[in-house]
Amino acid sequence: MGENASFWESLIYAHPTCTTWKQEAEGSIYHLASILFVVGFMGGSGFFGLLYVFSLLGLGFLCSSVWAWLDVCAADIFSWNFALFTICFIQFIYVTYQVRSVAFDREFQELYSALFQPLGISLTVYRKIVLCCDAEVITLEKEHCYAMQGKTPIDKLSLLVSGRIRVTVDGEFLHYIFPLQFLDSPEWDSLRPTEEGIFQVTLTAETDCRYVAWRRKKLYLLFAKHRFISRLFSILIGSDIAEKLYALNDRVHVGQGFRYDIRLPNFYHVALPETPPVQPSQHSHHLQRGSPRRKPAGVTNCGSFLAP
């Protein structure tokens, strides 16, 4: 304990204390460096926040180096400040290169601004998502089919960028798919990664359309490497399915006069006013016989609206 006390005492009291203070202020370069430090540490996050911080801190250390070389004439102070300036400069170049490397085409940039940026997705994460689809936007001409009922395999997940898609089953209209909606979210959600299936609906382009497509196996490999991206797509797909369900709630009918309510998948009610009243015993028997719309094999209740 005595040795430790003597060490701290020598560390604190060994140096002479300042008996007189300098009356004149330091030069303008020193104060400019201090201002740059204060403003630099107010930077934000993200790529542009890093550029802001490293640029101002680098200029601050450069001014400190000039001050140490011209006013203080201290080699050690100059060396440390110049070394820190060099580190900030290298970091600035590195971040600038990263920003340039994540530049996207116009359509991908608009997709990021409309869908991913509001969710707080960084450009580096978005870059992994874009690279998974080979940074390609596919064109679907008017009246051409994206998928045909009972023929097209479910082997990808697509997101509509522009245009409008008409969804039909057995020639009957179901609903539209608009930009920033998935083309095949119910099909994707209905299958496990090891399962295969085919479309139970037909998707036809009503206008010239542009969409982004991720291959099924390649996207699952991305999910395995980055769990955050997997959770992100799970949220996006679930929200997309919910929107499609609500859009169909007033359109779906089963048989003659029977209106199917997707919020009650195990029951349906008679919509025709001339239907005779049903006795309680008959009503119970009627509900037991009633069955919801058929659904394709492997399709969950969330995706059951795709086929009548």
Side-chain angles (χ1 to χ4, degrees):
M1 291 294 293
E3 294 179 356
N4 291 335
S6 61
F7 170 75
W8 288 110
E9 288 178 357
S10 62
L11 184 64
I12 297 174
Y13 300 111
H15 301 282
T17 58
C18 297
T19 56
T20 58
W21 294 83
K22 294 175 61 175
Q23 298 299 321
E24 67 277 3
E26 293 294 339
S28 59
I29 299 179
Y30 172 80
H31 295 289
L32 176 61
S34 300
I35 293 173
L36 289 172
F37 288 144
V38 172
V39 177
F41 282 116
M42 294 181 180
S45 59
F47 282 113
F48 295 102
L50 291 176
L51 290 176
Y52 174 88
V53 170
F54 286 125
S55 61
L56 292 180
L57 291 184
L59 291 175
F61 287 123
L62 179 61
C63 291
S64 296
S65 301
V66 175
W67 169 74
W69 183 267
L70 298 179
D71 294 346
V72 184
C73 299
D76 53 347
I77 299 178
F78 168 79
S79 299
W80 276 111
N81 282 277
F82 192 80
L84 293 171
F85 161 73
T86 304
I87 293 173
C88 288
F89 179 76
I90 294 173
Q91 287 289 338
F92 181 85
I93 297 299
Y94 174 71
V95 174
T96 302
Y97 172 77
Q98 284 190 313
V99 171
R100 289 181 58 87
S101 64
V102 295
F104 306 105
D105 294 337
R106 179 182 58 84
E107 288 175 306
F108 281 108
Q109 188 62 46
E110 293 176 353
L111 179 61
Y112 174 75
S113 301
L115 186 61
F116 292 93
Q117 189 176 23
L119 298 177
I121 306 303
S122 65
L123 287 174
T124 52
V125 174
Y126 183 62
R127 182 172 181 266
K128 294 181 176 67
I129 297 173
V130 172
L131 290 177
C132 186
C133 68
D134 300 325
E136 181 183 4
V137 181
I138 304 172
T139 300
L140 183 65
E141 297 181 358
K142 183 178 180 180
E143 295 304 326
H144 284 212
C145 291
Y146 170 82
M148 298 186 66
Q149 180 180 352
K151 296 181 179 180
T152 305
I154 305 171
D155 58 356
K156 57 187 175 182
L157 177 67
S158 300
L159 181 67
L160 188 63
V161 177
S162 62
R164 186 173 65 181
I165 300 290
R166 181 178 66 253
V167 182
T168 58
V169 58
D170 296 329
E172 296 182 3
F173 172 77
L174 285 183
H175 64 92
Y176 286 115
I177 298 177
F178 298 99
L180 302 182
Q181 290 184 338
F182 288 99
L183 275 68
D184 37 19
S185 54
E187 288 79 7
W188 174 275
D189 188 66
S190 67
L191 298 177
R192 296 186 179 91
T194 56
E195 294 179 337
E196 297 181 355
I198 58 175
F199 278 85
Q200 299 298 313
V201 294
T202 298
L203 280 70
T204 308
E206 278 218 337
T207 63
D208 291 337
C209 299
R210 300 268 289 171
Y211 67 91
V212 178
W214 293 272
R215 288 294 172 182
R216 185 178 182 85
K217 293 182 178 179
K218 196 172 182 179
L219 191 56
Y220 273 122
L221 289 177
L222 181 67
F223 290 167
K225 294 179 181 178
H226 305 282
R227 301 301 300 172
F228 173 76
I229 298 179
S230 175
R231 292 192 294 269
L232 170 65
F233 270 81
S234 177
I235 293 172
L236 292 175
I237 291 172
S239 175
D240 187 81
I241 292 175
E243 290 181 3
K244 290 181 172 63
L245 287 172
Y246 281 113
L248 278 175
N249 192 41
D250 293 329
R251 292 182 177 273
V252 181
H253 292 74
V254 178
Q256 295 182 354
F258 295 103
R259 183 175 182 274
Y260 177 78
D261 191 341
I262 60 174
R263 295 168 297 181
L264 302 173
N266 295 323
F267 304 99
Y268 61 82
H269 60 273
V270 177
L272 295 179
E274 61 272 12
T275 304
V278 181
Q279 299 297 328
S281 59
Q282 296 176 346
H283 179 67
S284 174
H285 180 65
H286 177 67
L287 288 180
Q288 292 177 2
R289 294 181 59 190
S291 61
R293 282 183 310 139
R294 62 177 177 85
K295 58 183 178 180
V299 177
T300 62
N301 282 339
C302 288
S304 62
F305 64 86
L306 287 176

